[in-house]
Amino acid sequence: MTRRLTISAVCSCLFAILVAWGLGPAVRAQPTPHSDCARLTLLKLPDVKVTEAVPVAAATTGAVRAAHCRVAGVIGTEIRFSLLLPDSWNRKFFMGGGGGFVGSVQNSAETTVNFGYATAGTDTGHQASGTAAGWALNNLERQVNFGYLAVHRTAEVAKAIIRGYFDSESSKNYFAGCSRGGGQAVMEAIRFPDDFDGIVAGAPALDWPGIGAQFVKDAQAAFPDPRNLTTPMFQQETLKGIEQQILDKCDALDGVRDGVIDDPRRCPINVDEISSVTDVQRAALKKIYGPTRSRDGEIYPGQPVGGEGEVAGWPLWITGVNQGLLTAQNAPSLRFAFGTELFKYIIYGDPAWDYSHYDFSTWKKDTALAASFLNATNPDLEAFKSKGHKLILWHGWADAALTPLGSIRYYDQVQARDPNRGDYFRMFLMPGVLHCGGGPGPDTADWTTAITDWVENGNAPGRVVARKVVNGTAVRTRPLCAYPQHAEYSGAGSTDDEKNFTCR
């Protein structure tokens, strides 16, 4: 009788293979000999090929400074990965996510190696530009690898190599990512709750068919004529004027006039009252701010006000930049690129698909297959919770790439299912912050400490300090409060100091 060897079975036997192979002793008080690193190329692991194992000396410049062993390899047919094994290991593993359609080995947690973590990343099973999806055409294996499987397989393989190299299990395992990486993070909590003790999901792409529909709807609004993509409907000056009108009306609603809107949902903007725009522009704004709908109802939430005039906000993601086309796909904006590529190569399998005529009437049927492997929208986190694992989700309020209302929708769904979700899942919203960072609001927070302190010490984060750093100096700090709480100014002291704000 034959038996199929699953990836879980494969990875469970890797440790025994590595021990039998005779890899070097565990790291204790001294660094691991670099000679052990080079021997990793001799590994014979099921469905895994190590293509490179190179010792890297400590550096005084650059993002990665700690001495480590750099391992590269291929899992299965074409899932490429990279693993950094620090000479001085803290006995923990921290994996990082990728962005967009990935397409190259990416690891947003790579710098954790400087603090003693072993750390890994993957290309999710294909090589391409991060805005291109042609690799997915008629290739379900690549689509599933990208959707959820490649991250899991990479985590399993990385842990197996770590066990053999250090002769020890990692005591704690973490994952962090933003955008696509944020979606990978939540997907891990849903599908593979054993993989990571702590997960940080920044600005996550959770509902790909819904996001794709919003992107196509916005492409139709901002670029109604597919024959004319090089001339944006909105110039930068117009967008800055729109943003300023919104700030004039809503900036002080939180008690502080600081160029940042605390919660855009409290900002009642009537597009008909916005001045210095044409009727055509006004109609486009209404579509962009509004939710995406089909005959069956709402598909995806709309875009909150904020970030209109920021170069890395609306111009980059929604309305297009004045320099012309942005990507190899001749796309005028990133939403245009991602939306049309998703529908062409994953949903329809038709490179000639035309965004300008799509009416969303068959959206649910059209996207059912893609949703089955792309979506991280299941609010059932019971398995993750039962293991004592923790999840932090954060999102910028001025994110023009992925509306924060999508994250709020998921949070609300988890809460509706489990009123005690705060025991294992907390969300933080960042006023004035663009996609994964940037914007006028404090956009830098120590999520690594927040998640490790929660996992290892039981200190659930209720307040996380965010900083706005200019030329290496923090010019403003603010508290981020666990949703649905928000920061309120005490009325005394500097409004640039987080100590003068409370969470309510």
Side-chain angles (χ1 to χ4, degrees):
M1 180 176 65
T2 61
R3 178 177 298 173
R4 179 177 295 172
L5 189 61
T6 66
I7 183 62
S8 296
V10 167
C11 291
S12 66
C13 72
L14 291 182
F15 180 46
I17 294 172
L18 288 166
V19 171
W21 177 69
L23 209 57
V27 169
R28 291 183 176 86
Q30 70 284 347
T32 301
H34 274 170
S35 60
D36 288 347
C37 174
R39 293 176 63 194
L40 285 172
T41 57
L42 303 177
L43 281 173
K44 303 296 183 183
L45 305 178
D47 214 26
V48 178
K49 179 177 178 56
V50 175
T51 58
E52 179 186 59
V54 179
V56 180
T60 57
T61 61
V64 175
R65 301 188 179 189
H68 62 276
C69 172
R70 184 178 72 243
V71 183
V74 181
I75 305 166
T77 305
E78 55 184 343
I79 300 172
R80 292 172 175 82
F81 73 92
S82 176
L83 170 65
L84 307 186
L85 302 165
D87 285 9
S88 297
W89 186 42
N90 65 6
R91 300 188 180 276
K92 303 174 190 178
F93 171 52
F94 212 129
M95 185 170 176
F101 289 120
V102 196
S104 60
V105 175
Q106 298 176 19
N107 176 4
S108 60
E110 187 177 58
T111 57
T112 60
V113 73
N114 297 332
F115 306 100
Y117 291 89
T119 182
T122 177
D123 69 353
T124 68
H126 62 275
Q127 294 280 300
S129 162
T131 58
W135 51 267
L137 185 63
N138 300 323
N139 192 322
L140 190 58
E141 179 183 4
R142 285 181 172 180
Q143 293 179 23
V144 171
N145 281 337
F146 171 74
Y148 65 86
L149 193 55
V151 169
H152 170 63
R153 294 192 70 181
T154 299
E156 291 279 83
V157 168
K159 290 179 189 177
I161 296 174
I162 288 168
R163 285 195 295 265
Y165 187 64
F166 293 116
D167 194 23
S168 175
E169 298 271 357
S170 49
S171 63
K172 296 295 179 183
N173 302 293
Y174 297 96
F175 186 96
C178 191
S179 192
R180 170 60 184 147
Q184 291 170 336
V186 177
M187 183 73 85
E188 278 290 308
I190 294 169
R191 286 186 180 262
F192 305 106
D194 287 323
D195 281 359
F196 299 102
D197 301 277
I199 292 173
V200 178
L206 302 177
D207 179 356
W208 278 77
I211 292 166
Q214 182 193 40
F215 286 10
V216 168
K217 179 261 294 181
D218 291 348
Q220 292 173 344
F223 303 96
D225 183 356
R227 298 165 300 180
N228 180 18
L229 302 179
T230 58
T231 305
M233 180 182 296
F234 295 88
Q235 297 299 311
Q236 181 73 25
E237 295 75 14
T238 302
L239 291 168
K240 283 187 173 293
I242 293 170
E243 182 178 43
Q244 190 58 55
Q245 291 177 63
I246 293 169
L247 283 171
D248 289 343
K249 183 171 184 179
C250 299
D251 185 3
L253 290 177
D254 57 2
V256 179
R257 187 171 290 280
D258 56 358
V260 173
I261 298 173
D262 182 68
D263 183 345
R265 295 173 301 180
R266 298 169 57 195
C267 182
I269 290 297
N270 183 347
V271 174
D272 288 328
E273 296 177 354
I274 293 178
S275 63
S276 301
V277 294
T278 67
D279 290 342
V280 172
Q281 290 172 330
R282 185 170 284 109
L285 289 173
K286 289 180 179 179
K287 290 181 180 179
I288 294 168
Y289 286 129
T292 307
R293 299 183 182 276
S294 71
R295 63 188 179 188
D296 299 319
E298 182 174 303
I299 293 174
Y300 205 67
Q303 183 67 27
V305 297
E308 293 87 354
E310 297 284 335
V311 173
W314 277 45
L316 178 64
W317 283 95
I318 303 176
T319 56
V321 296
N322 297 334
Q323 289 82 5
L325 303 178
L326 283 171
T327 70
Q329 295 77 46
N330 291 327
S333 73
L334 291 180
R335 281 195 179 184
F336 187 108
F338 286 120
T340 55
E341 291 283 299
L342 176 69
F343 272 78
K344 285 179 179 180
Y345 296 107
I346 298 180
I347 292 174
Y348 278 114
D350 177 10
W353 181 81
D354 184 355
Y355 77 95
S356 64
H357 298 301
Y358 191 59
D359 66 2
F360 306 97
S361 61
T362 57
W363 170 84
K364 188 172 183 179
K365 174 178 69 68
D366 297 340
T367 61
L369 177 60
S372 71
F373 56 80
L374 287 178
N375 277 5
T377 54
N378 186 348
D380 183 358
L381 297 174
E382 189 61 35
F384 187 78
K385 170 187 177 181
S386 69
K387 299 176 184 303
H389 296 172
K390 311 299 181 185
L391 170 63
I392 292 175
L393 189 158
W394 63 268
H395 209 133
W397 262 125
D399 190 338
L402 298 169
T403 170
L405 299 182
S407 289
I408 292 172
R409 182 171 74 172
Y410 180 69
Y411 177 91
D412 288 343
Q413 290 168 346
V414 174
Q415 183 181 31
R417 190 183 183 280
D418 183 1
N420 296 318
R421 55 43 196 127
D423 294 341
Y424 58 93
F425 174 32
R426 299 199 173 190
M427 181 171 71
F428 298 82
L429 297 174
M430 305 180 74
V433 173
L434 302 177
H435 187 55
C436 297
D443 60 342
T444 301
D446 187 355
W447 299 114
T448 298
T449 296
I451 192 64
T452 56
D453 194 31
W454 195 5
V455 168
E456 298 172 25
N457 302 315
N459 296 323
R463 176 186 177 116
V464 176
V465 175
R467 300 174 298 142
K468 186 64 183 177
V469 179
V470 177
N471 296 326
T473 301
V475 297
R476 175 181 290 170
T477 59
R478 288 285 174 84
L480 306 175
C481 305
Y483 187 83
Q485 289 194 326
H486 64 278
E488 286 191 5
Y489 178 51
S490 65
S494 171
T495 58
D496 289 330
D497 188 342
E498 56 88 14
K499 294 183 178 61
N500 300 319
F501 291 78
T502 57
C503 291
R504 298 185 184 278

